[in-house]
Amino acid sequence: MKTADPSTVETLRKSLAEQGVKYALASFVDIHGVSKTKVVPLAHLPQMLQGSELFTGAALDGVPQQVSDEEVAALPDAASCTVLPWNPEIAWFASDLWCRGEPFEACSRQILKRQTEAAAAMGLRMNLGVETEFFVLKEAADGRIVPVSERDTLEKPCYDLRGFLDSYGFLDELVEAMNRMGWDVYSFDHEDANGQFETDFMYADALTMADRCTFFRMMVGELARRRGWFASFMPKPFRNRTGSGAHYNMSLASLESGENLFVPGDDPHGCGLTRLGYQFIAGILRHAAAICAVIAPTVNSYKRLVKQGSMSGFTWAPVFVCYGNNNRTNMLRIPLAGGRVECRAADISSNFYLGAAMMLAAGLEGIREGLDPGAPHTENMYLVPDEELRRRGISWLPRTLDEAVDAFEADPLSRQVMGDGMFRAFADFKRREWIEYHTEVSEWEHRRYLRLF
């Protein structure tokens, strides 16, 4: 394993000690993108950064190991060191998993790194920004789950000032923490559902952004819990309210110069991208159904990916495999300023390492093969009749997790990106999730059928 230079490690240890840090976390993620860790006293930081902390993969969701297998070792990335804003005695390190002296093929972070290395071999770096949407909720005295603000009751609460002001203390603490870590928050607001918020912060390279989004969910949850509330990253917690997306804003830069290679000099389709950008789009569209299983990875995700169902009318979530200009009804949108591609199908429950890996791999394929996505769609795609969609060759995104997993298993790109172990673990885990959902007897079924016959 390639480990950090001892003098650099000692400098880091001393710096953390001077900040009052007592413990370090060697953290990696399971199949859900949820952080797992062992805790090491700061005096043992040098050993931790050499991979001293071992884990039994079989004890975790989607880390494909047998109980008899050799344990995986977490090798922390020293550059990812983050002191917890809500507990400055603890420092968090994003880590890669290794096994038998080699990178563990099924490690989510390693899966993304394989694709960033493939991009680097082409002289490219993927820059990624993620729009983080989430709910902050509490349990009322009668057991109902409600927004934390008693005034957050509007039928159309998007951009509601009162809901923001009533949650100001929490949001201010969150944004201040993000900015102290150098994330550069440039906007945040009350979103389209009661109790829902969004933060927007500066893009970074794909691996750094996946680390930050993983940390972000943990941080939001902890800050909410300290107030007696809870944060929800469920894609669609309420039937008649908008769900929580995590739109991926993607561009490719020159590894040598840092220049954004999507900013047009030429613009063959008139939406604000270079030919390279459109090739990237074409690759994603080719593999959109399989990618959907990873960026919309739960049963609940597909209750968000519908045309209508919120109090404000259309859901604003994509349902078709198509791209276009600033039009928000496409899966892939090119915002007005151009120079980047926004995928609107991704939701906040995803494993960001796996989602970014699938997106990047598909986009690179489009570039290698010189694919063209065809003409953009500038109209409201929700209103296009099914017959016209078929005539144009536009397919639906998967409408259920079952359909998405079918597409994931059928697409060779999935195994190529994930590797054999994670490919099989992901497909099997999600298939079981679908089966468990369909064998559960719901309250809706009781209301519909219990006394019907």
Side-chain angles (χ1 to χ4, degrees):
M1 291 186 287
K2 184 179 179 181
T3 56
D5 176 74
S7 62
T8 303
V9 171
E10 181 57 20
T11 299
L12 176 60
R13 189 197 64 77
K14 287 182 178 178
S15 173
L16 291 174
E18 289 169 0
Q19 296 175 60
V21 172
K22 295 167 61 177
Y23 300 104
L25 307 178
S27 185
F28 63 98
V29 299
D30 62 10
I31 199 171
H32 311 295
V34 174
S35 288
K36 304 296 179 181
T37 195
K38 280 191 176 181
V39 186
V40 171
L42 192 63
H44 291 269
L45 181 68
Q47 295 94 315
M48 187 188 90
L49 291 178
Q50 293 174 2
S52 65
E53 301 315 299
L54 304 178
F55 301 81
T56 303
L60 301 168
D61 283 344
V63 180
Q65 281 197 306
Q66 302 296 320
V67 293
S68 56
D69 288 346
E70 182 174 317
E71 294 166 301
V72 291
L75 185 65
D77 182 346
S80 72
C81 178
T82 305
V83 176
L84 303 190
W86 64 94
N87 188 342
E89 294 184 346
I90 301 173
W92 176 90
F93 291 80
S95 305
D96 299 317
L97 294 180
W98 286 62
C99 189
R100 301 181 185 277
E102 300 288 341
F104 184 55
E105 184 186 52
C107 167
S108 295
R109 199 169 188 266
Q110 297 273 24
I111 287 169
L112 176 54
K113 287 175 77 173
R114 290 199 293 269
Q115 296 308 315
T116 59
E117 289 163 5
M122 299 169 65
L124 302 170
R125 181 186 72 231
M126 181 181 178
N127 286 329
L128 177 63
V130 177
E131 301 172 34
T132 47
E133 297 180 350
F134 57 94
F135 284 82
V136 181
L137 304 166
K138 65 181 180 181
E139 187 172 333
D142 61 3
R144 291 180 302 115
I145 301 301
V146 298
V148 298
S149 167
E150 294 180 358
R151 298 193 294 172
D152 195 351
T153 58
L154 294 176
E155 287 193 357
K156 292 189 176 184
C158 197
Y159 311 126
D160 181 42
L161 177 60
R162 294 175 302 177
F164 159 73
L165 291 174
D166 288 353
S167 301
Y168 172 79
F170 165 80
L171 293 169
D172 178 57
E173 184 179 8
L174 173 62
V175 171
E176 284 289 315
M178 295 166 74
N179 282 334
R180 283 199 304 275
M181 293 185 291
W183 294 12
D184 191 10
V185 177
Y186 57 84
S187 179
F188 60 105
D189 62 75
H190 190 298
E191 264 297 314
D192 195 44
N194 305 106
Q196 186 186 37
F197 299 93
E198 176 182 323
T199 60
D200 298 311
F201 51 101
M202 190 56 66
Y203 67 85
D205 67 274
L207 185 65
T208 298
M209 183 54 63
D211 288 342
R212 287 179 177 178
C213 287
T214 299
F215 188 89
F216 175 85
R217 285 195 305 207
M218 176 180 64
M219 175 168 61
V220 173
E222 290 301 307
L223 295 182
R225 187 188 63 82
R226 286 155 61 92
R227 287 172 163 74
W229 308 336
F230 70 93
S232 178
F233 303 97
M234 185 178 181
K236 182 80 168 179
F238 304 106
R239 180 189 60 79
N240 64 339
R241 294 295 181 185
T242 307
S244 290
H247 301 158
Y248 284 33
N249 288 269
M250 302 168 286
S251 62
L252 294 179
S254 164
L255 198 60
E256 183 177 350
S257 68
E259 176 190 2
N260 183 350
L261 299 177
F262 283 7
V263 173
D266 63 328
D267 186 353
H269 292 298
C271 289
L273 286 185
T274 57
R275 189 173 304 278
L276 186 84
Y278 291 112
Q279 292 170 347
F280 185 85
I281 282 177
I284 292 174
L285 293 178
R286 173 188 276 182
H287 299 285
I291 292 170
C292 203
V294 181
I295 61 173
T298 73
V299 167
N300 182 255
S301 297
Y302 297 86
K303 298 181 178 182
R304 170 181 167 265
L305 297 179
V306 295
K307 283 198 282 189
Q308 289 182 295
S310 68
M311 295 294 286
S312 58
F314 290 122
T315 62
W316 301 95
V319 293
F320 304 117
V321 179
C322 56
Y323 89 100
N325 59 352
N326 201 44
N327 174 4
R328 286 173 168 79
T329 64
N330 289 288
M331 176 195 178
L332 299 180
R333 165 183 171 251
I334 302 167
L336 195 60
R340 60 186 166 97
V341 177
E342 177 188 81
C343 177
R344 300 179 59 76
D347 72 49
I348 197 65
S349 72
S350 61
N351 179 324
F352 295 101
Y353 300 104
L354 300 183
M358 289 289 285
M359 289 280 198
L360 179 54
L364 292 179
E365 181 182 295
I367 292 169
R368 291 190 193 100
E369 298 187 19
L371 302 182
D372 188 280
H377 301 280
T378 59
E379 69 274 42
N380 185 341
M381 297 303 294
Y382 295 156
L383 301 179
V384 178
D386 287 347
E387 183 178 338
E388 177 64 14
L389 291 170
R390 286 192 293 271
R391 189 187 69 78
R392 298 187 197 179
I394 298 173
S395 59
W396 286 75
L397 285 167
R399 300 194 220 190
T400 65
L401 181 62
D402 189 44
E403 287 185 19
V405 175
D406 283 345
F408 176 86
E409 288 189 295
D411 192 329
L413 184 76
S414 304
R415 190 184 295 271
Q416 173 193 323
V417 172
M418 299 285 193
D420 290 341
M422 182 59 91
F423 169 80
R424 192 70 269 149
F426 186 90
D428 289 349
F429 189 95
K430 292 301 172 182
R431 192 75 72 189
R432 286 196 303 272
E433 185 175 330
W434 177 254
I435 291 170
E436 288 173 11
Y437 169 68
H438 268 280
T439 55
E440 183 69 26
V441 178
S442 67
E443 285 301 314
W444 181 92
E445 290 169 284
H446 277 183
R447 292 193 303 270
R448 183 92 170 191
Y449 304 123
L450 196 61
R451 300 177 186 272
L452 176 63
F453 304 103

